[in-house]
Amino acid sequence: MRSDLPYLGSGLGYRPELSETITRAGDRIDWLEVITENHLFAPAEQREHLRELARRFPIVPHGVELSLGSPREPDGEYLRALAELVDEVDAPWFSDHLCFTRTDQVALGLLAPLPRTRELARDLARKAQRIQDSVGVPFLVENITYYVDLATPIGEAQFITEFLEHCDCGLLLDLANLDINARNHGFDPIGFLDSIPVERVVQVHLAGGIDGRGGELSIDSHGESVPERVWALLTELLARTRIRATLVERDQNFPDDPAELLAEVDRARTALLGAHPAAAIR
Amino acid sequence: MGVHEALAAVLTCPASLTALREDPERLRREHDLTEAELAMLVGAPHVGYTTTAARVRSKLGRLVGGLLPATTAALRESDPALWETFLTGTVRQAREGERIIGLEDAELLVNLLAERAAPPLASYARFELARRRLLHDGAAAGAARAWAASPEPADAAALRDVPVAVSAAARVAVLDHDVTSGEPPHRIPAARTPMLLHRRWGEPPLAAYRVGDGTLALLARCNGRHSGRQVAESMGGDRRAAEDALSRLAARGILHAVRR
Ligand SMILES: [Fe+2]
């Protein structure tokens, strides 16, 4: 993996509902992540708005529909448009998920878990490498929240490790997803951190979900404040490696008072700088 | 075929989920699974499947709701059972090269409403879908942008001897209900309502005007083959009035002279 990736600091996921907050409190937000598919084939004015944002903030496109884990190759037109978008906003990297969202027949519209085998991890690593090479900047792959825990020969941490060993893409570690998966499927998240190549984590996602009660699973809603458990995982991660960026992700249930989200962005920055004071200087 | 397809079926089709529990061999045959692949599916706790299946439905609702916000809000309020029917009965197809994700599914909802919903809501849904399509149409945006950058002269004389055509930024939709009435979508009154939709460059990016039958007939004749004079004469009434109408439409960027 390239070692010269820029340090972005503490960012916020751009959503139209947060547009005003981002404009007004831009000095408290180091960078923005935008949903790739909202901009790829969007009305032209939206692209213009994005270019305006890119003059003010570093921008990273974060995709949800690449469907890396589908058996077929990704759509060439999609990849060309993605490369154009990356170029247009001068993104230091781009990201999507280690999952599938569609098959030849069905579009699930949801990040679905993969049948984790070593063979598949290696196949997907080669595919991710080809995608990274064609887009031209580093590709970060994110761990998902999964509710169906397929009885696979290897676990998620092994699958991610096998994947990373066969490509030079980076890892976008969603700590909220890790926390929810660990609770839903009964594993130790610290053990997970100790068994993946943490030095490959470039960026993290921080978010909150809904705790399951009475046999229900906890749900990754991206609609609650970041819980203390997730902040604790950030501390654990930062004790193990130096990362380039954190991102607070909120997709729904936007707080009336933006101070709540901005305080989370500040807290993440403090954690980053506290762990590696020289990080910002590069 | 294969485990991806089998998992997608289990998440979107209640019969496949039942088969997974009660007759896994059937699922294995249908999707040509190996024993190992079937074991992965059978060995997963059931609650994961039901939780994910519910999320697939809610994602469909959010997707279509984002494209047709007024229609879906009115449907949920006026006929929640039909909304549920849509969510449980729709499996989104994987479409090669889908650019506006969910637009075809929004059309499926509009078709369902045409068959099963109260007529006012069905009309409104067609109107909202037509707006959404125009908003995302690249040629329409290009035409709106080009016109905003250099509006063409629109006086009657400029149009008289050159072929005139409707801009790629404009569309006509003739509805059976008055979408301009201001009533909630499921209560708009029945009335033949021709609407002219216009993609603009700026805010708001889309304008919708109610037009009369005369304007409708005029627009239909502006097909890029006839000059302004021929179009005005073919209207059969006051030629000056028709020419004025042409230049008013041209001044808004709805019509333009075709240069050869
Ligand atoms: Fe995430």
mmCIF file of all heavy atoms in Angstrom, chain A residues 41 43-45 48 69 72 75 77 100 103-107 109 115 147-149 151 219-220, chain B residues 3-5 40 44 48-49 51-52 55 59 62 92-94 96 99 101 136 145 199-201:
data_model
loop_
_atom_site.group_PDB
_atom_site.id
_atom_site.type_symbol
_atom_site.label_atom_id
_atom_site.label_comp_id
_atom_site.label_asym_id
_atom_site.label_seq_id
_atom_site.Cartn_x
_atom_site.Cartn_y
_atom_site.Cartn_z
ATOM 1 N N PHE A 41 -23.961 10.117 -11.950
ATOM 2 C CA PHE A 41 -24.767 10.443 -13.121
ATOM 3 C C PHE A 41 -25.821 11.477 -12.733
ATOM 4 O O PHE A 41 -26.936 11.457 -13.226
ATOM 5 C CB PHE A 41 -25.398 9.170 -13.692
ATOM 6 C CG PHE A 41 -24.374 8.129 -14.047
ATOM 7 C CD1 PHE A 41 -24.184 7.007 -13.262
ATOM 8 C CD2 PHE A 41 -23.562 8.309 -15.163
ATOM 9 C CE1 PHE A 41 -23.221 6.056 -13.587
ATOM 10 C CE2 PHE A 41 -22.594 7.364 -15.497
ATOM 11 C CZ PHE A 41 -22.430 6.238 -14.710
ATOM 12 N N PRO A 43 -27.740 15.235 -11.982
ATOM 13 C CA PRO A 43 -27.929 16.464 -12.746
ATOM 14 C C PRO A 43 -26.682 17.348 -12.665
ATOM 15 O O PRO A 43 -25.998 17.396 -11.634
ATOM 16 C CB PRO A 43 -29.115 17.129 -12.049
ATOM 17 C CG PRO A 43 -29.869 16.008 -11.422
ATOM 18 C CD PRO A 43 -28.834 14.986 -11.041
ATOM 19 N N ALA A 44 -26.412 18.029 -13.773
ATOM 20 C CA ALA A 44 -25.152 18.754 -13.908
ATOM 21 C C ALA A 44 -24.918 19.787 -12.794
ATOM 22 O O ALA A 44 -23.783 19.991 -12.369
ATOM 23 C CB ALA A 44 -25.109 19.429 -15.271
ATOM 24 N N GLU A 45 -25.991 20.416 -12.301
ATOM 25 C CA GLU A 45 -25.793 21.435 -11.259
ATOM 26 C C GLU A 45 -25.197 20.825 -9.999
ATOM 27 O O GLU A 45 -24.416 21.444 -9.285
ATOM 28 C CB GLU A 45 -27.116 22.096 -10.849
ATOM 29 C CG GLU A 45 -27.792 22.887 -11.930
ATOM 30 C CD GLU A 45 -28.813 22.045 -12.656
ATOM 31 O OE1 GLU A 45 -28.572 20.826 -12.816
ATOM 32 O OE2 GLU A 45 -29.833 22.601 -13.073
ATOM 33 N N GLU A 48 -21.632 20.599 -10.255
ATOM 34 C CA GLU A 48 -21.026 21.909 -10.090
ATOM 35 C C GLU A 48 -20.911 22.255 -8.603
ATOM 36 O O GLU A 48 -19.895 22.774 -8.142
ATOM 37 C CB GLU A 48 -21.885 22.958 -10.805
ATOM 38 C CG GLU A 48 -21.053 24.053 -11.389
ATOM 39 C CD GLU A 48 -21.664 24.592 -12.671
ATOM 40 O OE1 GLU A 48 -22.581 25.423 -12.545
ATOM 41 O OE2 GLU A 48 -21.249 24.183 -13.768
ATOM 42 N N GLY A 69 -18.224 -7.689 -4.561
ATOM 43 C CA GLY A 69 -18.324 -9.135 -4.338
ATOM 44 C C GLY A 69 -19.213 -9.889 -5.304
ATOM 45 O O GLY A 69 -19.351 -11.106 -5.196
ATOM 46 N N ARG A 72 -19.731 -11.123 -11.236
ATOM 47 C CA ARG A 72 -19.290 -10.525 -12.504
ATOM 48 C C ARG A 72 -18.378 -9.310 -12.286
ATOM 49 O O ARG A 72 -18.297 -8.756 -11.187
ATOM 50 C CB ARG A 72 -20.480 -10.167 -13.370
ATOM 51 C CG ARG A 72 -21.384 -9.101 -12.773
ATOM 52 C CD ARG A 72 -22.303 -8.521 -13.808
ATOM 53 N NE ARG A 72 -23.095 -9.541 -14.497
ATOM 54 C CZ ARG A 72 -23.534 -9.416 -15.753
ATOM 55 N NH1 ARG A 72 -23.249 -8.336 -16.443
ATOM 56 N NH2 ARG A 72 -24.289 -10.337 -16.299
ATOM 57 N N ASP A 75 -19.218 -2.794 -13.863
ATOM 58 C CA ASP A 75 -19.605 -2.070 -15.060
ATOM 59 C C ASP A 75 -18.502 -1.072 -15.469
ATOM 60 O O ASP A 75 -18.103 -0.206 -14.691
ATOM 61 C CB ASP A 75 -20.913 -1.333 -14.678
ATOM 62 C CG ASP A 75 -21.443 -0.437 -15.764
ATOM 63 O OD1 ASP A 75 -20.877 -0.438 -16.866
ATOM 64 O OD2 ASP A 75 -22.441 0.258 -15.484
ATOM 65 N N GLU A 77 -18.534 1.353 -17.555
ATOM 66 C CA GLU A 77 -19.021 2.729 -17.628
ATOM 67 C C GLU A 77 -18.994 3.379 -16.237
ATOM 68 O O GLU A 77 -18.629 4.533 -16.067
ATOM 69 C CB GLU A 77 -20.453 2.691 -18.184
ATOM 70 C CG GLU A 77 -21.033 4.008 -18.618
ATOM 71 C CD GLU A 77 -20.247 4.656 -19.746
ATOM 72 O OE1 GLU A 77 -19.677 3.937 -20.600
ATOM 73 O OE2 GLU A 77 -20.210 5.883 -19.724
ATOM 74 N N PHE A 100 -21.618 -7.722 -1.549
ATOM 75 C CA PHE A 100 -22.264 -7.605 -2.850
ATOM 76 C C PHE A 100 -23.613 -6.929 -2.654
ATOM 77 O O PHE A 100 -24.222 -7.040 -1.585
ATOM 78 C CB PHE A 100 -22.388 -8.958 -3.565
ATOM 79 C CG PHE A 100 -23.442 -9.896 -3.027
ATOM 80 C CD1 PHE A 100 -24.651 -10.046 -3.690
ATOM 81 C CD2 PHE A 100 -23.220 -10.636 -1.877
ATOM 82 C CE1 PHE A 100 -25.625 -10.929 -3.219
ATOM 83 C CE2 PHE A 100 -24.189 -11.519 -1.402
ATOM 84 C CZ PHE A 100 -25.387 -11.664 -2.069
ATOM 85 N N THR A 103 -26.913 -9.375 -7.782
ATOM 86 C CA THR A 103 -26.515 -10.578 -8.507
ATOM 87 C C THR A 103 -26.856 -10.322 -9.974
ATOM 88 O O THR A 103 -27.232 -9.203 -10.336
ATOM 89 C CB THR A 103 -27.314 -11.791 -7.997
ATOM 90 O OG1 THR A 103 -28.697 -11.587 -8.329
ATOM 91 C CG2 THR A 103 -27.181 -11.951 -6.492
ATOM 92 N N ASP A 104 -26.792 -11.353 -10.807
ATOM 93 C CA ASP A 104 -27.194 -11.156 -12.203
ATOM 94 C C ASP A 104 -28.680 -10.826 -12.296
ATOM 95 O O ASP A 104 -29.125 -10.161 -13.223
ATOM 96 C CB ASP A 104 -26.906 -12.415 -13.029
ATOM 97 C CG ASP A 104 -25.430 -12.520 -13.355
ATOM 98 O OD1 ASP A 104 -24.704 -11.517 -13.136
ATOM 99 O OD2 ASP A 104 -24.983 -13.592 -13.799
ATOM 100 N N GLN A 105 -29.453 -11.304 -11.329
ATOM 101 C CA GLN A 105 -30.898 -11.142 -11.400
ATOM 102 C C GLN A 105 -31.463 -10.065 -10.489
ATOM 103 O O GLN A 105 -32.375 -9.345 -10.865
ATOM 104 C CB GLN A 105 -31.582 -12.455 -10.993
ATOM 105 C CG GLN A 105 -30.849 -13.680 -11.437
ATOM 106 C CD GLN A 105 -31.712 -14.603 -12.249
ATOM 107 O OE1 GLN A 105 -32.876 -14.762 -11.955
ATOM 108 N NE2 GLN A 105 -31.146 -15.169 -13.277
ATOM 109 N N VAL A 106 -30.942 -10.002 -9.268
ATOM 110 C CA VAL A 106 -31.594 -9.200 -8.234
ATOM 111 C C VAL A 106 -30.705 -8.038 -7.784
ATOM 112 O O VAL A 106 -29.510 -8.232 -7.560
ATOM 113 C CB VAL A 106 -31.919 -10.094 -7.005
ATOM 114 C CG1 VAL A 106 -32.559 -9.274 -5.892
ATOM 115 C CG2 VAL A 106 -32.829 -11.242 -7.408
ATOM 116 N N ALA A 107 -31.305 -6.853 -7.655
ATOM 117 C CA ALA A 107 -30.608 -5.720 -7.050
ATOM 118 C C ALA A 107 -31.124 -5.595 -5.619
ATOM 119 O O ALA A 107 -32.280 -5.227 -5.415
ATOM 120 C CB ALA A 107 -30.893 -4.441 -7.833
ATOM 121 N N GLY A 109 -29.938 -3.630 -3.230
ATOM 122 C CA GLY A 109 -29.892 -2.261 -2.701
ATOM 123 C C GLY A 109 -29.393 -2.220 -1.270
ATOM 124 O O GLY A 109 -29.626 -1.260 -0.548
ATOM 125 N N PRO A 115 -19.998 -15.140 0.893
ATOM 126 C CA PRO A 115 -19.639 -16.493 1.335
ATOM 127 C C PRO A 115 -18.129 -16.547 1.541
ATOM 128 O O PRO A 115 -17.378 -16.740 0.587
ATOM 129 C CB PRO A 115 -20.090 -17.371 0.163
ATOM 130 C CG PRO A 115 -20.128 -16.473 -1.027
ATOM 131 C CD PRO A 115 -20.423 -15.094 -0.522
ATOM 132 N N TYR A 147 -26.136 -9.090 9.056
ATOM 133 C CA TYR A 147 -27.073 -9.712 10.001
ATOM 134 C C TYR A 147 -27.139 -11.214 9.749
ATOM 135 O O TYR A 147 -27.340 -11.989 10.660
ATOM 136 C CB TYR A 147 -28.447 -9.053 9.881
ATOM 137 C CG TYR A 147 -28.348 -7.552 10.041
ATOM 138 C CD1 TYR A 147 -28.369 -6.699 8.941
ATOM 139 C CD2 TYR A 147 -28.149 -6.993 11.301
ATOM 140 C CE1 TYR A 147 -28.213 -5.329 9.089
ATOM 141 C CE2 TYR A 147 -27.987 -5.622 11.458
ATOM 142 C CZ TYR A 147 -28.027 -4.798 10.344
ATOM 143 O OH TYR A 147 -27.859 -3.452 10.490
ATOM 144 N N VAL A 148 -26.987 -11.598 8.463
ATOM 145 C CA VAL A 148 -26.900 -13.019 8.135
ATOM 146 C C VAL A 148 -25.444 -13.423 8.352
ATOM 147 O O VAL A 148 -24.552 -12.936 7.657
ATOM 148 C CB VAL A 148 -27.287 -13.285 6.663
ATOM 149 C CG1 VAL A 148 -27.088 -14.759 6.326
ATOM 150 C CG2 VAL A 148 -28.729 -12.870 6.405
ATOM 151 N N ASP A 149 -25.221 -14.291 9.339
ATOM 152 C CA ASP A 149 -23.855 -14.743 9.617
ATOM 153 C C ASP A 149 -23.682 -16.123 8.985
ATOM 154 O O ASP A 149 -23.908 -17.151 9.629
ATOM 155 C CB ASP A 149 -23.633 -14.789 11.133
ATOM 156 C CG ASP A 149 -22.173 -15.035 11.477
ATOM 157 O OD1 ASP A 149 -21.306 -14.851 10.589
ATOM 158 O OD2 ASP A 149 -21.902 -15.415 12.625
ATOM 159 N N ALA A 151 -22.459 -19.585 7.689
ATOM 160 C CA ALA A 151 -21.561 -20.551 8.349
ATOM 161 C C ALA A 151 -20.397 -20.863 7.408
ATOM 162 O O ALA A 151 -20.363 -21.895 6.753
ATOM 163 C CB ALA A 151 -22.340 -21.816 8.700
ATOM 164 N N ILE A 219 -29.035 -2.894 15.183
ATOM 165 C CA ILE A 219 -29.133 -2.442 13.795
ATOM 166 C C ILE A 219 -28.225 -1.248 13.561
ATOM 167 O O ILE A 219 -28.190 -0.309 14.355
ATOM 168 C CB ILE A 219 -30.597 -2.021 13.469
ATOM 169 C CG1 ILE A 219 -31.558 -3.202 13.641
ATOM 170 C CG2 ILE A 219 -30.697 -1.427 12.068
ATOM 171 C CD1 ILE A 219 -31.441 -4.289 12.601
ATOM 172 N N ASP A 220 -27.537 -1.304 12.441
ATOM 173 C CA ASP A 220 -26.674 -0.207 12.038
ATOM 174 C C ASP A 220 -27.551 0.809 11.297
ATOM 175 O O ASP A 220 -27.810 0.671 10.118
ATOM 176 C CB ASP A 220 -25.574 -0.813 11.136
ATOM 177 C CG ASP A 220 -25.146 0.098 10.021
ATOM 178 O OD1 ASP A 220 -24.926 1.271 10.303
ATOM 179 O OD2 ASP A 220 -25.025 -0.393 8.875
ATOM 180 N N VAL B 3 -24.258 -19.258 -4.818
ATOM 181 C CA VAL B 3 -24.647 -18.900 -3.460
ATOM 182 C C VAL B 3 -25.120 -17.441 -3.355
ATOM 183 O O VAL B 3 -26.009 -17.124 -2.580
ATOM 184 C CB VAL B 3 -23.509 -19.263 -2.470
ATOM 185 C CG1 VAL B 3 -22.287 -18.417 -2.696
ATOM 186 C CG2 VAL B 3 -23.971 -19.182 -1.041
ATOM 187 N N HIS B 4 -24.551 -16.547 -4.176
ATOM 188 C CA HIS B 4 -25.023 -15.150 -4.158
ATOM 189 C C HIS B 4 -26.503 -15.096 -4.542
ATOM 190 O O HIS B 4 -27.310 -14.433 -3.896
ATOM 191 C CB HIS B 4 -24.255 -14.283 -5.158
ATOM 192 C CG HIS B 4 -22.805 -14.088 -4.850
ATOM 193 N ND1 HIS B 4 -21.856 -15.056 -5.053
ATOM 194 C CD2 HIS B 4 -22.142 -13.006 -4.365
ATOM 195 C CE1 HIS B 4 -20.663 -14.590 -4.710
ATOM 196 N NE2 HIS B 4 -20.804 -13.343 -4.292
ATOM 197 N N GLU B 5 -26.815 -15.803 -5.634
ATOM 198 C CA GLU B 5 -28.190 -15.784 -6.145
ATOM 199 C C GLU B 5 -29.143 -16.436 -5.122
ATOM 200 O O GLU B 5 -30.260 -15.957 -4.915
ATOM 201 C CB GLU B 5 -28.221 -16.536 -7.486
ATOM 202 C CG GLU B 5 -29.182 -16.000 -8.516
ATOM 203 C CD GLU B 5 -28.796 -14.647 -9.096
ATOM 204 O OE1 GLU B 5 -27.837 -14.540 -9.876
ATOM 205 O OE2 GLU B 5 -29.507 -13.680 -8.755
ATOM 206 N N MET B 40 -23.393 -23.351 4.287
ATOM 207 C CA MET B 40 -23.179 -21.959 4.740
ATOM 208 C C MET B 40 -24.521 -21.278 4.999
ATOM 209 O O MET B 40 -24.699 -20.558 5.981
ATOM 210 C CB MET B 40 -22.482 -21.135 3.651
ATOM 211 C CG MET B 40 -21.034 -21.448 3.425
ATOM 212 S SD MET B 40 -20.416 -20.247 2.193
ATOM 213 C CE MET B 40 -19.028 -21.133 1.566
ATOM 214 N N ALA B 44 -26.628 -20.499 9.047
ATOM 215 C CA ALA B 44 -26.766 -19.121 9.565
ATOM 216 C C ALA B 44 -28.044 -18.998 10.386
ATOM 217 O O ALA B 44 -29.086 -19.503 9.978
ATOM 218 C CB ALA B 44 -26.799 -18.136 8.403
ATOM 219 N N GLY B 48 -31.122 -13.554 11.321
ATOM 220 C CA GLY B 48 -30.344 -12.734 10.391
ATOM 221 C C GLY B 48 -31.062 -12.558 9.067
ATOM 222 O O GLY B 48 -31.043 -11.478 8.465
ATOM 223 N N TYR B 49 -31.713 -13.626 8.614
ATOM 224 C CA TYR B 49 -32.433 -13.551 7.335
ATOM 225 C C TYR B 49 -33.653 -12.634 7.444
ATOM 226 O O TYR B 49 -33.897 -11.800 6.578
ATOM 227 C CB TYR B 49 -32.889 -14.953 6.891
ATOM 228 C CG TYR B 49 -31.749 -15.842 6.468
ATOM 229 C CD1 TYR B 49 -31.389 -16.944 7.234
ATOM 230 C CD2 TYR B 49 -31.038 -15.577 5.311
ATOM 231 C CE1 TYR B 49 -30.339 -17.765 6.851
ATOM 232 C CE2 TYR B 49 -29.985 -16.398 4.913
ATOM 233 C CZ TYR B 49 -29.641 -17.490 5.691
ATOM 234 O OH TYR B 49 -28.604 -18.284 5.307
ATOM 235 N N THR B 51 -34.231 -10.262 9.588
ATOM 236 C CA THR B 51 -33.790 -8.877 9.798
ATOM 237 C C THR B 51 -33.351 -8.258 8.471
ATOM 238 O O THR B 51 -33.722 -7.123 8.143
ATOM 239 C CB THR B 51 -32.617 -8.824 10.808
ATOM 240 O OG1 THR B 51 -33.031 -9.455 12.007
ATOM 241 C CG2 THR B 51 -32.186 -7.399 11.096
ATOM 242 N N THR B 52 -32.569 -9.005 7.707
ATOM 243 C CA THR B 52 -32.054 -8.450 6.447
ATOM 244 C C THR B 52 -33.178 -8.278 5.429
ATOM 245 O O THR B 52 -33.225 -7.272 4.707
ATOM 246 C CB THR B 52 -30.939 -9.345 5.863
ATOM 247 O OG1 THR B 52 -30.012 -9.638 6.898
ATOM 248 C CG2 THR B 52 -30.211 -8.647 4.728
ATOM 249 N N ARG B 55 -34.912 -5.211 5.988
ATOM 250 C CA ARG B 55 -34.099 -4.051 5.580
ATOM 251 C C ARG B 55 -34.084 -3.880 4.062
ATOM 252 O O ARG B 55 -34.017 -2.760 3.561
ATOM 253 C CB ARG B 55 -32.680 -4.161 6.145
ATOM 254 C CG ARG B 55 -32.673 -3.883 7.636
ATOM 255 C CD ARG B 55 -31.303 -3.944 8.245
ATOM 256 N NE ARG B 55 -30.394 -2.911 7.792
ATOM 257 C CZ ARG B 55 -30.425 -1.637 8.167
ATOM 258 N NH1 ARG B 55 -31.374 -1.229 8.984
ATOM 259 N NH2 ARG B 55 -29.533 -0.786 7.730
ATOM 260 N N LYS B 59 -35.184 -0.425 2.413
ATOM 261 C CA LYS B 59 -34.296 0.289 1.470
ATOM 262 C C LYS B 59 -35.044 0.592 0.173
ATOM 263 O O LYS B 59 -34.871 1.665 -0.415
ATOM 264 C CB LYS B 59 -33.064 -0.556 1.142
ATOM 265 C CG LYS B 59 -32.167 -0.796 2.331
ATOM 266 C CD LYS B 59 -30.949 0.082 2.288
ATOM 267 C CE LYS B 59 -30.079 -0.188 3.506
ATOM 268 N NZ LYS B 59 -28.989 0.758 3.649
ATOM 269 N N ARG B 62 -37.199 3.558 0.851
ATOM 270 C CA ARG B 62 -36.435 4.819 0.905
ATOM 271 C C ARG B 62 -36.005 5.256 -0.482
ATOM 272 O O ARG B 62 -35.997 6.445 -0.805
ATOM 273 C CB ARG B 62 -35.207 4.658 1.804
ATOM 274 C CG ARG B 62 -35.556 4.828 3.280
ATOM 275 C CD ARG B 62 -34.351 4.643 4.166
ATOM 276 N NE ARG B 62 -33.379 5.725 4.032
ATOM 277 C CZ ARG B 62 -32.271 5.797 4.758
ATOM 278 N NH1 ARG B 62 -32.003 4.872 5.650
ATOM 279 N NH2 ARG B 62 -31.433 6.791 4.596
ATOM 280 N N ARG B 92 -36.393 -5.912 -6.815
ATOM 281 C CA ARG B 92 -35.698 -5.055 -7.786
ATOM 282 C C ARG B 92 -34.822 -5.908 -8.685
ATOM 283 O O ARG B 92 -34.017 -6.703 -8.211
ATOM 284 C CB ARG B 92 -34.820 -4.021 -7.065
ATOM 285 C CG ARG B 92 -35.606 -2.861 -6.492
ATOM 286 C CD ARG B 92 -34.655 -1.842 -5.877
ATOM 287 N NE ARG B 92 -33.752 -1.315 -6.868
ATOM 288 C CZ ARG B 92 -32.467 -1.032 -6.652
ATOM 289 N NH1 ARG B 92 -31.927 -1.210 -5.470
ATOM 290 N NH2 ARG B 92 -31.723 -0.553 -7.620
ATOM 291 N N GLN B 93 -34.988 -5.717 -9.964
ATOM 292 C CA GLN B 93 -34.146 -6.451 -10.913
ATOM 293 C C GLN B 93 -32.792 -5.778 -11.043
ATOM 294 O O GLN B 93 -32.706 -4.554 -10.985
ATOM 295 C CB GLN B 93 -34.789 -6.403 -12.291
ATOM 296 C CG GLN B 93 -35.914 -7.371 -12.488
ATOM 297 C CD GLN B 93 -36.532 -7.145 -13.852
ATOM 298 O OE1 GLN B 93 -35.830 -6.915 -14.825
ATOM 299 N NE2 GLN B 93 -37.841 -7.189 -13.890
ATOM 300 N N ALA B 94 -31.756 -6.595 -11.259
ATOM 301 C CA ALA B 94 -30.446 -6.019 -11.564
ATOM 302 C C ALA B 94 -30.503 -5.551 -13.012
ATOM 303 O O ALA B 94 -30.831 -6.336 -13.893
ATOM 304 C CB ALA B 94 -29.372 -7.072 -11.387
ATOM 305 N N GLU B 96 -28.507 -3.787 -16.102
ATOM 306 C CA GLU B 96 -27.205 -3.413 -16.654
ATOM 307 C C GLU B 96 -27.203 -1.915 -16.945
ATOM 308 O O GLU B 96 -28.139 -1.395 -17.554
ATOM 309 C CB GLU B 96 -26.998 -4.210 -17.948
ATOM 310 C CG GLU B 96 -25.636 -4.095 -18.567
ATOM 311 C CD GLU B 96 -24.632 -5.052 -17.934
ATOM 312 O OE1 GLU B 96 -25.046 -6.057 -17.346
ATOM 313 O OE2 GLU B 96 -23.444 -4.769 -18.026
ATOM 314 N N ARG B 99 -28.542 4.009 -14.513
ATOM 315 C CA ARG B 99 -27.892 5.271 -14.175
ATOM 316 C C ARG B 99 -28.557 5.968 -12.989
ATOM 317 O O ARG B 99 -27.892 6.451 -12.093
ATOM 318 C CB ARG B 99 -27.902 6.212 -15.394
ATOM 319 C CG ARG B 99 -27.048 5.683 -16.531
ATOM 320 C CD ARG B 99 -25.571 5.694 -16.153
ATOM 321 N NE ARG B 99 -24.771 4.955 -17.091
ATOM 322 C CZ ARG B 99 -24.159 3.788 -16.834
ATOM 323 N NH1 ARG B 99 -24.262 3.241 -15.635
ATOM 324 N NH2 ARG B 99 -23.450 3.185 -17.741
ATOM 325 N N ILE B 101 -30.447 5.166 -10.017
ATOM 326 C CA ILE B 101 -30.793 3.937 -9.311
ATOM 327 C C ILE B 101 -32.211 4.054 -8.750
ATOM 328 O O ILE B 101 -32.538 4.999 -8.046
ATOM 329 C CB ILE B 101 -29.751 3.675 -8.212
ATOM 330 C CG1 ILE B 101 -28.408 3.372 -8.890
ATOM 331 C CG2 ILE B 101 -30.161 2.499 -7.327
ATOM 332 C CD1 ILE B 101 -27.233 3.379 -7.964
ATOM 333 N N HIS B 136 -33.455 14.399 -14.411
ATOM 334 C CA HIS B 136 -32.228 13.607 -14.556
ATOM 335 C C HIS B 136 -31.811 13.399 -16.007
ATOM 336 O O HIS B 136 -30.871 12.662 -16.268
ATOM 337 C CB HIS B 136 -32.405 12.252 -13.876
ATOM 338 C CG HIS B 136 -32.374 12.340 -12.373
ATOM 339 N ND1 HIS B 136 -31.199 12.357 -11.663
ATOM 340 C CD2 HIS B 136 -33.365 12.452 -11.471
ATOM 341 C CE1 HIS B 136 -31.476 12.471 -10.380
ATOM 342 N NE2 HIS B 136 -32.777 12.523 -10.225
ATOM 343 N N ARG B 145 -28.782 24.433 -20.077
ATOM 344 C CA ARG B 145 -27.524 25.131 -19.811
ATOM 345 C C ARG B 145 -27.120 25.988 -21.014
ATOM 346 O O ARG B 145 -26.725 27.148 -20.862
ATOM 347 C CB ARG B 145 -26.447 24.102 -19.516
ATOM 348 C CG ARG B 145 -25.105 24.710 -19.236
ATOM 349 C CD ARG B 145 -24.078 23.634 -18.979
ATOM 350 N NE ARG B 145 -23.209 24.037 -17.895
ATOM 351 C CZ ARG B 145 -22.396 23.230 -17.254
ATOM 352 N NH1 ARG B 145 -22.381 21.955 -17.537
ATOM 353 N NH2 ARG B 145 -21.617 23.690 -16.305
ATOM 354 N N ARG B 199 -37.154 22.043 -17.991
ATOM 355 C CA ARG B 199 -35.877 21.969 -17.266
ATOM 356 C C ARG B 199 -35.170 23.296 -17.445
ATOM 357 O O ARG B 199 -35.002 23.763 -18.570
ATOM 358 C CB ARG B 199 -35.047 20.821 -17.847
ATOM 359 C CG ARG B 199 -33.670 20.663 -17.233
ATOM 360 C CD ARG B 199 -33.777 20.119 -15.824
ATOM 361 N NE ARG B 199 -32.548 19.474 -15.396
ATOM 362 C CZ ARG B 199 -31.539 20.122 -14.798
ATOM 363 N NH1 ARG B 199 -31.628 21.412 -14.565
ATOM 364 N NH2 ARG B 199 -30.461 19.440 -14.441
ATOM 365 N N ARG B 200 -34.791 23.896 -16.323
ATOM 366 C CA ARG B 200 -34.116 25.187 -16.394
ATOM 367 C C ARG B 200 -32.728 25.073 -15.782
ATOM 368 O O ARG B 200 -32.443 24.164 -15.035
ATOM 369 C CB ARG B 200 -34.920 26.239 -15.622
ATOM 370 C CG ARG B 200 -36.276 26.535 -16.231
ATOM 371 C CD ARG B 200 -37.275 26.949 -15.173
ATOM 372 N NE ARG B 200 -36.641 27.523 -14.012
ATOM 373 C CZ ARG B 200 -36.661 28.826 -13.699
ATOM 374 N NH1 ARG B 200 -37.324 29.685 -14.439
ATOM 375 N NH2 ARG B 200 -36.054 29.269 -12.629
ATOM 376 N N TRP B 201 -31.909 26.046 -16.090
ATOM 377 C CA TRP B 201 -30.578 26.088 -15.498
ATOM 378 C C TRP B 201 -30.626 27.128 -14.397
ATOM 379 O O TRP B 201 -30.721 28.307 -14.654
ATOM 380 C CB TRP B 201 -29.532 26.442 -16.540
ATOM 381 C CG TRP B 201 -28.146 26.181 -16.035
ATOM 382 C CD1 TRP B 201 -27.243 27.101 -15.602
ATOM 383 C CD2 TRP B 201 -27.540 24.904 -15.903
ATOM 384 N NE1 TRP B 201 -26.104 26.470 -15.206
ATOM 385 C CE2 TRP B 201 -26.248 25.114 -15.372
ATOM 386 C CE3 TRP B 201 -27.947 23.595 -16.152
ATOM 387 C CZ2 TRP B 201 -25.374 24.067 -15.104
ATOM 388 C CZ3 TRP B 201 -27.071 22.558 -15.887
ATOM 389 C CH2 TRP B 201 -25.794 22.810 -15.377
#
